[in-house]
Amino acid sequence: MRKEIAMLVGVSLVAGMLSGCGGISVNEETPSQAEETAAQTQAAGEATEEKGTEEKSAAEQVMDDLYAQIADQQIELELWTGPDWKGVYDSSVEGGDYLDFFNFVKTEFEAKYPNIKVNPVLIDGSQRAEKLAIAIQSGTLPNMYYESDFALSDYVHEGLMVPLDDIVTDEDRADIPEAVWDSLELGGETYIFPFSAEIGMLGINVSLFKEAGAEEYLPEGEIGVWSPEEFKEALEAVKGTENVYPFAVFANSQQGDSFTNMLLRMYGGKFVNDEGTAFAINDEKGVQALEMIVEMKNEGLLAPGGETLSQGDVYQMFLNKNLAVVTLNNLTYNNLVAGLKNGSIEEPFEFQWAYYPNGEGGEPYCLSYVKGGAIFNTGDEAEAIASKLFIRFFNSEPYTEASKVLIPVRESKLEELKAENQDPHIIEAAQALDHTISITGRVPGYVSSRSYYFPEIQAVLTEQKTPQEALDSFVESANEAISKAAERSVILNP
């Protein structure tokens, strides 16, 4: 059942993300950062007192065992993190800062383990690769990085990261969907302790379909499921609505390319082979998907000039009601909610999520950037143990409450969102975690290959190349680019 966004309340807004689109704050009376943190500190203390003589949890036992190894040592750690959300457990608090959560956890952690100091450092996503390259060359890697599998998988292949399976409990495995664990595993080991996620699917302006008399073409389900042909028929049905384009593909840069390369998998094509060693999207299924996109372009179902459109351009078109369907994530969805609240976006704007179109009876799918704590191998065993302790610490109660600011990866936190009557579309996005597929395919050197992708899509959109020619060229160039990374990979060459 579809729900009116105008009725939604209490949505937490965030800013800063891998794909480069941030949240917008809503101007309303909120508690101060100090009040919010103080309240949570008191709650955490009360929860600790209530435990009293209760039997220790598996997570607590893990922390006790870790600390016993380093209790007599003075250790200082550095944690890097991106601008994910302001505040601790509520991103709408006044005076919030992107380091609030980790500064709060640091204070609690250092009070319990006074011989360990943690220094959180904010790193903008645009500077991440450069700063890590310098740190690798100079031997000054941070101990920890709160980041995504998308951003860190190459460093796992290079042997620079520490597996974390020994601090993951059976309770964690049961509480977090298997699809999430699968996305984080390389060589049979887990290198990121999942905390929260960003979900990418398709977003639909249901109101525009109603205006066009095309509601019957909307996909079934709260999160719509449709075949490529049904997707195309829906776009055809809304075509002709004044000042509205049915859909848009953007290819002006590699920014947000994950959201578009997911479309090339709609007929079952695989961006990367099953072994995770090479790109393979130039097979007949990948070519068929790109041919479908060309067909939609030729029939006027896409906004013109996709080769020059950016991800931000397309999102803004959707928020301006100039686009009926868009590739969307939960962060930009929050911008929509904010606009409806502050009046910058006029109602009606009824919204629905949909999975990417999938053919041949395939499972519905979407993408996710799963974020969590990861550890770099600095060569200091005590620092590695202390880092595991800190990551285990904030992945325990009450700190996992902060994951609800974004998309929580834990089923227990999802159930809390439901009980709190939070935004149903955010709950739906969290439920979609079960249907996420890997963006990178765990191929080594994925980041270096991205520069070859969008020029080929541009060439197709401008009719300089056929879909087959473009995908052949991408696969050849990208596989050549990652060949050295594959040779160096400690995962592929144990």
Side-chain angles (χ1 to χ4, degrees):
M1 180 177 181
R2 304 181 187 96
K3 305 157 182 85
E4 293 289 345
I5 290 182
M7 298 175 63
L8 303 178
V9 295
V11 175
S12 296
L13 302 176
V14 298
M17 64 179 193
L18 283 172
S19 55
C21 180
I24 299 177
S25 298
V26 180
N27 293 323
E28 55 184 55
E29 189 173 340
T30 60
S32 70
Q33 173 67 22
E35 291 171 336
E36 188 267 349
T37 303
Q40 185 56 50
T41 302
Q42 181 180 355
E46 291 172 353
T48 301
E49 290 176 6
E50 287 177 4
K51 285 184 180 179
T53 59
E54 288 182 13
E55 186 177 347
K56 289 181 179 179
S57 68
E60 289 171 324
Q61 188 60 56
V62 168
M63 288 187 280
D64 284 353
D65 292 344
L66 289 169
Y67 189 58
Q69 302 176 62
I70 53 173
D72 60 346
Q73 301 184 51
Q74 295 297 316
I75 301 171
E76 187 166 347
L77 305 174
E78 185 168 89
L79 165 77
W80 288 9
T81 182
D84 289 303
W85 76 94
K86 296 181 179 181
V88 179
Y89 299 97
D90 180 358
S91 64
S92 66
V93 295
E94 294 180 357
D97 184 83
Y98 289 122
L99 287 178
D100 286 338
F101 174 69
F102 283 112
N103 279 331
F104 174 64
V105 174
K106 157 195 166 72
T107 300
E108 301 258 304
F109 180 82
E110 291 177 355
K112 186 170 183 178
Y113 307 109
N115 60 312
I116 307 173
K117 303 300 178 187
V118 180
N119 301 313
V121 178
L122 184 65
I123 303 292
D124 187 83
S126 63
Q127 301 175 325
R128 179 184 59 242
E130 180 183 1
K131 286 187 174 294
L132 281 175
I134 293 172
I136 291 170
Q137 290 295 323
S138 61
T140 56
L141 278 166
N143 300 98
M144 298 170 282
Y145 209 140
Y146 180 84
E147 248 301 351
S148 73
D149 55 316
F150 178 86
L152 297 180
S153 63
D154 282 356
Y155 303 103
V156 176
H157 278 288
E158 293 176 21
L160 296 173
M161 311 211 73
V162 177
L164 303 178
D165 299 272
D166 58 339
I167 64 171
V168 177
T169 67
D170 291 342
E171 289 79 5
D172 296 320
R173 297 281 181 190
D175 199 20
I176 298 172
E178 185 177 352
V180 173
W181 292 113
D182 287 346
S183 72
L184 301 176
E185 185 180 285
L186 269 169
E189 295 182 300
T190 304
Y191 290 86
I192 294 179
F193 201 126
F195 187 81
S196 62
E198 170 194 334
I199 300 295
M201 295 185 280
L202 298 183
I204 304 171
N205 185 334
V206 173
S207 299
L208 289 179
F209 275 83
K210 289 182 174 180
E211 180 183 331
E215 189 175 3
E216 65 183 283
Y217 292 94
L218 290 167
E220 292 294 325
E222 291 183 332
I223 303 178
V225 177
W226 43 15
S227 68
E229 290 70 30
E230 289 168 337
F231 174 57
K232 184 170 179 284
E233 287 174 2
L235 300 183
E236 290 170 345
V238 80
K239 179 184 176 182
T241 305
E242 187 176 1
N243 296 321
V244 174
Y245 297 110
F247 188 57
V249 171
F250 54 89
N252 82 322
S253 72
Q254 65 185 36
Q255 191 78 3
D257 57 1
S258 301
F259 292 84
T260 59
N261 78 39
M262 283 283 159
L263 289 168
L264 299 187
R265 314 177 196 208
M266 70 173 89
Y267 285 107
K270 296 181 179 180
F271 213 74
V272 173
N273 64 17
D274 290 334
E275 295 74 29
T277 57
F279 292 92
I281 197 61
N282 61 332
D283 67 2
E284 66 175 310
K285 293 179 179 179
V287 171
Q288 183 182 6
L290 190 49
E291 286 175 344
M292 170 67 89
I293 292 173
V294 171
E295 190 176 314
M296 291 191 292
K297 169 185 172 291
N298 293 340
E299 294 180 14
L301 302 179
L302 303 183
E307 65 276 8
T308 64
L309 290 175
S310 69
Q311 181 185 28
D313 294 334
V314 170
Y315 282 170
Q316 194 58 51
M317 290 169 66
F318 185 70
L319 298 179
N320 292 344
K321 301 184 178 183
N322 299 132
L323 208 58
V325 184
V326 69
T327 53
L328 190 73
N329 59 40
N330 53 289
L331 304 183
T332 306
Y333 165 76
N334 284 344
N335 294 351
L336 172 59
V337 175
L340 289 168
K341 280 187 174 183
N342 63 30
S344 62
I345 299 176
E346 293 183 4
E347 298 181 39
F349 201 127
E350 191 177 350
F351 179 84
Q352 180 189 8
W353 289 114
Y355 291 109
Y356 282 90
N358 64 96
E360 300 183 2
E363 283 292 314
Y365 71 93
C366 61
L367 67 85
S368 70
Y369 293 103
V370 176
K371 287 199 151 188
I375 299 175
F376 280 103
N377 184 1
T378 62
D380 189 307
E381 184 179 359
E383 290 181 0
I385 294 171
S387 296
K388 287 183 178 182
L389 179 60
F390 184 76
I391 288 175
R392 177 67 266 183
F393 186 81
F394 77 77
N395 276 283
S396 306
E397 291 287 357
Y399 312 107
T400 51
E401 185 73 10
S403 67
K404 290 155 63 176
V405 176
L406 302 173
I407 296 292
V409 295
R410 292 181 178 270
E411 297 284 356
S412 57
K413 293 304 170 185
L414 173 57
E415 291 304 313
E416 289 177 13
L417 286 179
K418 292 178 181 178
E420 295 163 1
N421 294 316
Q422 293 292 330
D423 181 343
H425 293 307
I426 292 298
I427 292 172
E428 290 161 4
Q431 291 172 322
L433 273 172
D434 285 324
H435 295 282
T436 59
I437 62 175
S438 174
I439 297 171
T440 68
R442 305 178 182 87
V443 67
Y446 178 85
V447 172
S448 66
S449 72
R450 295 173 66 196
S451 61
Y452 299 102
Y453 173 70
F454 74 90
E456 299 301 339
I457 302 302
Q458 289 177 339
V460 170
L461 294 176
T462 56
E463 301 181 2
Q464 297 177 44
K465 290 184 179 180
T466 67
Q468 185 72 69
E469 290 170 342
L471 293 182
D472 283 346
S473 178
F474 164 69
V475 167
E476 181 181 359
S477 299
N479 282 340
E480 183 178 347
I482 67 169
S483 61
K484 291 184 179 180
E487 292 173 3
R488 295 195 306 270
S489 171
V490 299
I491 302 299
L492 300 180
N493 306 288

